[in-house]
Amino acid sequence: MSASPLPTSRPPAALSPLAAWLLGLGLLMGFAALGEGLARLLRVPVPGPVLGLLLLWLALGLGVVRLSWLEGAADHLLGVLGLLFVPATVGFTDYLSAGAAWGLWLLVMLTGLLAGAGVTGLIAARWLKSEQQA
């Protein structure tokens, strides 16, 4: 009996659509929380939700979690993804005035970056030209 890496069977018929959705949301949140806990426990320089996503991918690949258990909640979350960025956008607009105060520093940094990239490009071009002539 071979298990498909991405099972597509529906949740058990005994589950109502709301219960199936809550199961999917609970699994997604559970893996995110598990990843966060592991990141803090192991002190790895990787965000917890990324570790949770990797664990979820592993669980899906091993057949421990079925894709159909997550589909409803994942589709719903993707449908409202734009709304999930509203708090971040509002928080960003609070700091726009700070960006104006940093304008001079940003200009200095940008000028340094462009000058450094330009000098590096000239050195690389001369180096390649000298190698082609040899």
PDB file of all heavy atoms in Angstrom, residues 30 33 38 42 51 65 77 84 100 104 107 111 132:
ATOM      1  N   GLY A  30      -0.794  25.443  14.778  1.00  0.00           N
ATOM      2  CA  GLY A  30       0.005  24.542  15.601  1.00  0.00           C
ATOM      3  C   GLY A  30       1.422  24.382  15.065  1.00  0.00           C
ATOM      4  O   GLY A  30       2.389  24.408  15.822  1.00  0.00           O
ATOM      5  N   ALA A  33       3.292  27.599  15.736  1.00  0.00           N
ATOM      6  CA  ALA A  33       3.689  27.676  17.147  1.00  0.00           C
ATOM      7  C   ALA A  33       4.818  26.694  17.463  1.00  0.00           C
ATOM      8  O   ALA A  33       5.752  27.021  18.215  1.00  0.00           O
ATOM      9  CB  ALA A  33       2.487  27.397  18.045  1.00  0.00           C
ATOM     10  N   LEU A  38      10.510  25.850  18.702  1.00  0.00           N
ATOM     11  CA  LEU A  38      11.797  25.253  18.357  1.00  0.00           C
ATOM     12  C   LEU A  38      12.862  26.320  18.099  1.00  0.00           C
ATOM     13  O   LEU A  38      14.013  26.170  18.497  1.00  0.00           O
ATOM     14  CB  LEU A  38      11.664  24.364  17.124  1.00  0.00           C
ATOM     15  CG  LEU A  38      11.158  22.952  17.371  1.00  0.00           C
ATOM     16  CD1 LEU A  38      10.972  22.224  16.049  1.00  0.00           C
ATOM     17  CD2 LEU A  38      12.104  22.185  18.259  1.00  0.00           C
ATOM     18  N   LEU A  42      16.078  26.208  20.409  1.00  0.00           N
ATOM     19  CA  LEU A  42      17.362  25.894  19.789  1.00  0.00           C
ATOM     20  C   LEU A  42      18.203  27.134  19.502  1.00  0.00           C
ATOM     21  O   LEU A  42      19.367  27.008  19.128  1.00  0.00           O
ATOM     22  CB  LEU A  42      17.141  25.108  18.491  1.00  0.00           C
ATOM     23  CG  LEU A  42      16.393  23.788  18.641  1.00  0.00           C
ATOM     24  CD1 LEU A  42      16.145  23.171  17.274  1.00  0.00           C
ATOM     25  CD2 LEU A  42      17.158  22.834  19.537  1.00  0.00           C
ATOM     26  N   LEU A  51      10.483  27.712  10.350  1.00  0.00           N
ATOM     27  CA  LEU A  51      10.713  26.351  10.835  1.00  0.00           C
ATOM     28  C   LEU A  51       9.405  25.560  10.862  1.00  0.00           C
ATOM     29  O   LEU A  51       9.375  24.383  10.515  1.00  0.00           O
ATOM     30  CB  LEU A  51      11.316  26.375  12.240  1.00  0.00           C
ATOM     31  CG  LEU A  51      12.796  26.682  12.349  1.00  0.00           C
ATOM     32  CD1 LEU A  51      13.231  26.658  13.800  1.00  0.00           C
ATOM     33  CD2 LEU A  51      13.619  25.722  11.546  1.00  0.00           C
ATOM     34  N   VAL A  65       0.256  14.391   7.856  1.00  0.00           N
ATOM     35  CA  VAL A  65      -0.821  15.368   7.692  1.00  0.00           C
ATOM     36  C   VAL A  65      -1.277  15.288   6.249  1.00  0.00           C
ATOM     37  O   VAL A  65      -0.459  15.207   5.332  1.00  0.00           O
ATOM     38  CB  VAL A  65      -0.311  16.799   8.018  1.00  0.00           C
ATOM     39  CG1 VAL A  65      -1.374  17.836   7.708  1.00  0.00           C
ATOM     40  CG2 VAL A  65       0.123  16.893   9.464  1.00  0.00           C
ATOM     41  N   LEU A  77      -7.428  31.714   4.114  1.00  0.00           N
ATOM     42  CA  LEU A  77      -6.381  32.655   4.506  1.00  0.00           C
ATOM     43  C   LEU A  77      -5.760  33.339   3.290  1.00  0.00           C
ATOM     44  O   LEU A  77      -5.444  34.527   3.333  1.00  0.00           O
ATOM     45  CB  LEU A  77      -5.303  31.955   5.328  1.00  0.00           C
ATOM     46  CG  LEU A  77      -5.716  31.549   6.739  1.00  0.00           C
ATOM     47  CD1 LEU A  77      -4.623  30.720   7.394  1.00  0.00           C
ATOM     48  CD2 LEU A  77      -6.025  32.779   7.578  1.00  0.00           C
ATOM     49  N   LEU A  84      -4.457  40.982   5.775  1.00  0.00           N
ATOM     50  CA  LEU A  84      -3.485  40.684   6.814  1.00  0.00           C
ATOM     51  C   LEU A  84      -2.303  41.651   6.783  1.00  0.00           C
ATOM     52  O   LEU A  84      -1.577  41.772   7.762  1.00  0.00           O
ATOM     53  CB  LEU A  84      -2.993  39.240   6.678  1.00  0.00           C
ATOM     54  CG  LEU A  84      -4.068  38.163   6.799  1.00  0.00           C
ATOM     55  CD1 LEU A  84      -3.479  36.789   6.561  1.00  0.00           C
ATOM     56  CD2 LEU A  84      -4.747  38.216   8.155  1.00  0.00           C
ATOM     57  N   ALA A 100      11.790  61.006   6.642  1.00  0.00           N
ATOM     58  CA  ALA A 100      12.169  62.320   6.138  1.00  0.00           C
ATOM     59  C   ALA A 100      13.371  62.857   6.905  1.00  0.00           C
ATOM     60  O   ALA A 100      14.253  63.491   6.335  1.00  0.00           O
ATOM     61  CB  ALA A 100      10.987  63.279   6.254  1.00  0.00           C
ATOM     62  N   LEU A 104      18.814  62.644   4.576  1.00  0.00           N
ATOM     63  CA  LEU A 104      20.208  62.953   4.284  1.00  0.00           C
ATOM     64  C   LEU A 104      21.080  61.719   4.436  1.00  0.00           C
ATOM     65  O   LEU A 104      21.937  61.440   3.602  1.00  0.00           O
ATOM     66  CB  LEU A 104      20.704  64.080   5.197  1.00  0.00           C
ATOM     67  CG  LEU A 104      22.169  64.470   5.018  1.00  0.00           C
ATOM     68  CD1 LEU A 104      22.401  64.993   3.602  1.00  0.00           C
ATOM     69  CD2 LEU A 104      22.582  65.499   6.049  1.00  0.00           C
ATOM     70  N   LEU A 107      20.553  59.412   1.572  1.00  0.00           N
ATOM     71  CA  LEU A 107      21.213  59.923   0.372  1.00  0.00           C
ATOM     72  C   LEU A 107      22.715  59.632   0.425  1.00  0.00           C
ATOM     73  O   LEU A 107      23.309  59.209  -0.576  1.00  0.00           O
ATOM     74  CB  LEU A 107      20.958  61.427   0.237  1.00  0.00           C
ATOM     75  CG  LEU A 107      21.554  62.108  -0.984  1.00  0.00           C
ATOM     76  CD1 LEU A 107      20.952  61.528  -2.265  1.00  0.00           C
ATOM     77  CD2 LEU A 107      21.320  63.604  -0.923  1.00  0.00           C
ATOM     78  N   THR A 111      24.617  57.194  -2.197  1.00  0.00           N
ATOM     79  CA  THR A 111      25.758  57.695  -2.959  1.00  0.00           C
ATOM     80  C   THR A 111      26.968  56.794  -2.761  1.00  0.00           C
ATOM     81  O   THR A 111      27.668  56.447  -3.725  1.00  0.00           O
ATOM     82  CB  THR A 111      26.080  59.139  -2.533  1.00  0.00           C
ATOM     83  OG1 THR A 111      24.917  59.947  -2.711  1.00  0.00           O
ATOM     84  CG2 THR A 111      27.228  59.713  -3.346  1.00  0.00           C
ATOM     85  N   GLN A 132      41.891  39.275 -21.288  1.00  0.00           N
ATOM     86  CA  GLN A 132      41.579  38.955 -22.683  1.00  0.00           C
ATOM     87  C   GLN A 132      42.767  39.265 -23.586  1.00  0.00           C
ATOM     88  O   GLN A 132      42.990  38.598 -24.593  1.00  0.00           O
ATOM     89  CB  GLN A 132      40.341  39.715 -23.155  1.00  0.00           C
ATOM     90  CG  GLN A 132      39.069  39.211 -22.545  1.00  0.00           C
ATOM     91  CD  GLN A 132      37.861  40.060 -22.940  1.00  0.00           C
ATOM     92  OE1 GLN A 132      38.006  41.140 -23.512  1.00  0.00           O
ATOM     93  NE2 GLN A 132      36.676  39.570 -22.617  1.00  0.00           N
TER      94      GLN A 132
END
